[in-house]
Amino acid sequence: ASDVYKRQVSDVDAGSTYITGTLGTAANNVVQLNGSSQLPAVDGSLLTNMSEGGKVLQRQETVVTAATFTTTSRSWTDLTGMSVAITPATTGSKILLTVNFSFDTSATTNFAAFKALRGAVDLSVGDAAGSRVQCALWGASYSNQATVNRSMTWLDSPSTTSATTYKLQIQMDGGTFYFNRTNTDTDNASFPRTISTITATEIGA
């Protein structure tokens, strides 16, 4: 005969609550709860939503290997090639934006300011303070043979399922900016060509 089991799972004020049922035979090892071998149905949409939370849903990346972009602009200018487009799957998704880039300036006294944008919206810049430049990062040349490497990361909430473009902008305070190369660019092994990337990763809500 099948064994009958009873297990106390919780106590309440009115008494004890029990799960009772019958263990199946060795040939048919099924636990019957309240006379049924089936558990209540689970809402599949709940499982779907639970599985997407914190999950990487997609990743879009732009890789720039060219070293042709230069600028002397003292106003915000798009850094050619450094943009990426992504279409979020849900309005609740977060976009993790990661930027890695390499550059040089024409002198150690020439500084470059950088910021990232979603469309025309600044993602993150410093507070306004008089005539000071509001930016995310700031950098200058170390020497005429060394590139400067910078990385930036933001967690953005675009709240849309439309195609969204992220990009990097630059502004100089003087001199010339050189992208993916050094100021001195003699054709020999002492002067490099580097790589820069911008990556948008959608994280499920």
Side-chain angles (χ1 to χ4, degrees), residues 57-131:
L57 303 183
Q58 62 168 314
R59 185 179 70 173
Q60 304 296 329
E61 182 178 52
T62 299
V63 178
V64 182
T65 58
T68 56
F69 178 80
T70 65
T71 185
T72 60
S73 178
R74 295 197 180 197
S75 59
W76 288 110
T77 302
D78 290 352
L79 206 167
T80 299
M82 289 296 284
S83 66
V84 63
I86 190 169
T87 303
T90 70
T91 56
S93 291
K94 305 287 187 180
I95 302 298
L96 180 65
L97 185 70
T98 305
V99 181
N100 298 283
F101 58 102
S102 183
F103 69 95
D104 198 4
T105 56
S106 53
T108 57
T109 54
N110 297 145
F111 285 84
F114 302 92
K115 65 178 180 179
L117 300 90
R118 177 193 349 110
V121 178
D122 292 342
L123 288 188
S124 182
V125 295
D127 291 343
S131 299

Side-chain angles (χ1 to χ4, degrees), residues 104 143-147 180-194:
D104 198 4
S143 76
N144 65 355
Q145 288 182 258
T147 56
N180 279 348
R181 53 160 281 197
T182 52
N183 171 17
T184 301
D185 196 38
T186 305
D187 186 9
N188 64 52
S190 295
F191 301 96
R193 286 288 189 269
T194 57

